[in-house]
Amino acid sequence: MAKMEVKTSLLDDMIGVGDMVLLEPLNEDSFINNLKKRFDHNEVYTYIGSVVISINPYRSLPIYTPEKVEEYRNRNFYELSPHIFALADEAYRSLRDQDKDQCILITGESGAGKTEASKLVMSYVAAVCGKGAEVNQVKEQLLQSNPVLEAFGNAKTARNDNSSRFGKYMDIEFDFKGDPLGGVISNYLLEKSRVVKQPRGERNFHIFYQILSGASEEFLCKLKLERDFSRYNYLGLDSARVNGVDDASNFRTVRNAMQIVGFMDHETQSVFEVVAAVLKLGNIKFKPESRANGLDESKIKDKNELKEICELTGIDQSVLERAFSFRTVEAKQEKVSTTLNVAQAYYARDALAKNLYSRLFSWLVTRINESIKAQTKVRKKVMGVLDIYGFEIFEDNSFEQFIINYCNEKLQQIFIELTLKEEQEEYIREGIEWTHIEYFNNAIICDLIENNQTGILAMLDEECLRPGTVTDDTFLEKLNQVCATHQHFESRMSKCSRFLNDTSLPHSCFRIQHYAGKVMYQVEGFVDKNNDLLYRDLSQAMWKANHSLIKALFPEGNPAKINLKRPPTAGSQFKASVATLMKNLQNKNPNYIRCIKPNEKKAADIFNEALVCHQIRYLGLLENVRVRRAGYAFRQAYEPCLERYKMLCRQTWPHWRGPARAGVEVLFNELRIPEEEFSFGRSKIFIRNPRTLFKLEDLRKQRLEDLATLIGKIYRGWKCRTRFLLMKRSQIVIASWYRRYAQQKRYQKIKSSAITVQSYIRGWKARKLLRELKHLKRCNEAATVIAAYWHGTQVRREYRKFFRANAGRKIYEFTLQRIMQKYFLEMKNKMPSLSPIDKTWPARPYLFLDSTHRELKRIFHLWRCKKYRDQFTDQQKLIYEEKLEASELFKDKKALYPASVGQPFQGAYLEISENPKYKKLTDAVDEKIIIAEVVNKINRANGKAASRIFLLTKNNVLLADQKSGTIKSEVPLGDVTKVSMSSQNDGFFAVHLKEGSEAASKGDFLLSSNHLIEMATKLYRTTLSQTKQKLNIEISDEFLVQFKQEKVCVKFIQGSQKNGNIPTCKRKNNRLLEVAVP
């Protein structure tokens, strides 16, 4: 029954020990066995107080779902099973509710799951903070910055397929509500040496393989790349493909992430061009040449690669080629140019590739910061997430491992300091006496490395800057002189006699006793890697590029800003960055995630105890537990403590009415726990020994079983009583319903019988009445029939003689009526179609129906014409009215008329309003234009024609010049008296004007048009509408036209013309114009 209890503490159903502070006995073996037991049951998280130990399961577990997020949201840290979400929630709530800036420090060696842990923390915070379009955009940008930085800063190593080769610290900024506003990312020590060389079984940075696998052929062509990995010397081929990693899909993810973060298309293109240039730099090869002065010189073997690099970066090929062959040294006012041999040329090439990629990565971080930085100026709360390299101990440890381990020494130092500080503050806050805790202080190791006078980094910088011959061996000699007596420094060359017998230490190495163990470093490459020199000629060549991004990456190449001061060394830069980081972390409330790798095979369900033991030692986890247990191993607020253990005391069970502290005191006194095993703080109970806590848990477990038995007994009794009472109530209800049913059934039976008897009686009475009524009706009908027959006999006797005289006429009328009915019925079935032009009509069946037949035909034709007219719109009616008018005026009179019947009357043949040439004419005419057409005006002097625009409005007839649109003549409709035309197939017509009118001063108009019928009809109808007088239309082959004071006869004759079918006009004499019509 205890399994049914709601989980309210990590102590419930605990596999092993969820908090290592409670582990008994505490030693290295029990620590490892506890981790293994939990790991075997898929419990990958364990606490050390508020520190989370995370073991990489190397497989997906169903413990990161949205349901899990909600389960850990706003819950006490120790309320549920250990989980990274509990730490993230605790940090977020402290930031939001208590206004404390937070930092989450994630440490562990490569492959332990640090990067995934940082992603989980960020995804949890993104899930539990506020919602909204702007907030969601900020969260999405913060989350999508990870794929970009992983592509450019992560690589496959022997221990991890997605190893971060740089340190990352992200400050996420929140407003007062706890909603994210933006973030700032800091990066530390990118492993740029990986660009030019990778250990066996490892890869270069992911982005190189992603471009070659996922980019389209067109995009690769733009970058001048080929898809084959073997074409590039900087890419290791033995691990080019990684199982379970889809580089093509990851490339698409990176491009999408860059777009979401805010990279412009041209910026993305520039970034990939720089990556392509770095990749192609590795293909440049050099050959030795001897100069006349005896000096060795290097030349590029194949300049094709150099040409493509210059095309990508916009650098003059000759400038870059010279930078690979010569080195210019400036000292005050002097410049000395020296040639580079092949080894120096390869060094310069690799240095350029490393610097180019390293600066590109730093630019990416800066560009991402510009996009994700908070836009508001209000005060912000900050949560920092530190994902940085763990302590590294390899077979061959060089400069990179040295500064990485230095960083971890500083993190261990701040971890111990802040943990002790947190313990001490809590004891003081709760009023518990603080006792000094003995622990190893690694400040002496940090001082050995970072001391400004005698530190290893200071010695390295001094050796790099001094004149003369500087080698790694001289650096080691200097260390032997300065650090020989230091208890954490060992060297074979040391003059201290206690090391002379240590033959396991090579001559070119030194060893440091770190907090995590001894690490041997090979001094080879220390000086060069610390110098990190890039020849000034290469910097200047990069600055001269026509590529905006590359130019921005090398500002020191600007000749106007030449600085002869030596740039800071890599070691001093990293030391300054670590100091800034430590200062930042000390101002925040720390939260720790210690990541552990269970095996070297990256396989699930394998727990290598030796490997885990090694990591436990250098992470200092046992020492962390001892620090937490030096005082009191367990502490808990009074309220949850009383709530958890109140069933162990009769006075506190089931409810305690007083203060929680008083209840806990009563509880502990009742259980007779020794006073030295616990102390009462202001708000918490402190338990010194884990055995005391486990004793309480055992008592609670036993009591819960007793309570479960009691609850089961009470529940069964309650259930039986409830069932009995339910059955009793049910029996009463059933009995009452049955009695009601029986009485209703009896009543219905009596009611049915009464109705049946009543129906029979009413039926008998009705039948008796029906018989009497039928007898009376038959008597009345018999008398009526007898009387009717008698009267009929009398009438027939009286009128027989008259019937015989009129029989013929009656038969005739009846026969005629039947014939008419048959005629109309037949006509109904033989009716023609409703088309008005259909001339068919059924034949007349009888001669006497001739007039009726014709009249019926006429009526039917009129009816179907009306039906046809009813279908017309107003516009169609107007058109047909005009056509009808034209028919009445010209049918059988004008030979041109039949050709015009099928042509629609359009009126506006010129689009005057849309032609800018006629704007003056449009402005002058403010009336509606009924017809607008080009006509030919006949000259009375020679019979030749001139083009004019003929306009007809409601009140006027206008003639205008066709070219300019100028109005030549304007005649009111009232001044038009007659229109004359021939009966032949021509378009000539004369417009006669009223004598004495102003318009008639120049005489009548003789015109020619292709639409004569339409123009004459519209002129006729418009004149009739305006003047209420019919316009005289004269059709004659000879008529007179008034030209000023003269009258000229216009005569139409038949004849063949040279111009084909076009009529021509010719002046015969002063009184005759002859028109020849073909």
Side-chain angles (χ1 to χ4, degrees), residues 932-951:
E933 190 199 357
V934 176
V935 300
N936 293 322
K937 183 174 180 297
I938 307 304
N939 191 321
R940 65 181 182 275
N942 53 19
K944 292 185 179 180
S947 296
R948 293 286 187 270
I949 297 175
F950 182 91
L951 298 178

Side-chain angles (χ1 to χ4, degrees), residues 805-820:
N806 296 316
R809 185 171 60 83
K810 292 290 185 183
I811 293 170
Y812 170 75
E813 291 176 353
F814 177 78
T815 304
L816 190 63
Q817 184 180 5
R818 291 296 297 161
I819 291 173
M820 292 295 290

Side-chain angles (χ1 to χ4, degrees), residues 650-701:
R650 292 181 180 273
Q651 299 179 48
T652 57
W653 177 260
H655 300 293
W656 174 257
R657 302 297 180 186
R661 172 171 177 166
V664 174
E665 290 177 355
V666 170
L667 174 66
F668 274 55
N669 290 332
E670 178 76 16
L671 296 174
R672 297 180 181 178
I673 299 175
E675 293 184 0
E676 64 271 11
E677 287 297 319
F678 64 89
S679 290
F680 293 106
R682 292 188 176 91
S683 63
K684 294 180 180 179
I685 177 73
F686 287 75
I687 298 176
R688 186 177 301 278
N689 201 308
R691 285 192 298 270
T692 304
L693 180 65
F694 291 139
K695 178 182 176 182
L696 289 174
E697 284 297 311
D698 292 339
L699 292 173
R700 179 178 180 273
K701 183 177 181 181

Side-chain angles (χ1 to χ4, degrees), residues 138-172:
V138 172
K139 291 193 290 188
E140 188 67 15
Q141 286 186 335
L142 290 173
L143 293 175
Q144 290 300 323
S145 65
N146 277 327
V148 179
L149 294 178
E150 283 185 18
F152 286 86
N154 288 23
K156 178 196 178 299
T157 65
R159 298 183 176 184
N160 187 2
D161 289 344
N162 187 31
S163 176
S164 298
R165 306 319 298 162
F166 69 104
K168 182 179 75 172
Y169 177 74
M170 173 183 280
D171 268 335
I172 308 174

Side-chain angles (χ1 to χ4, degrees), residues 711-727:
I711 292 171
K713 180 180 71 174
I714 295 173
Y715 171 74
R716 287 191 295 273
W718 168 83
K719 188 175 181 181
C720 290
R721 283 194 303 275
T722 303
R723 186 171 183 275
F724 167 74
L725 293 174
L726 179 62
M727 291 180 66

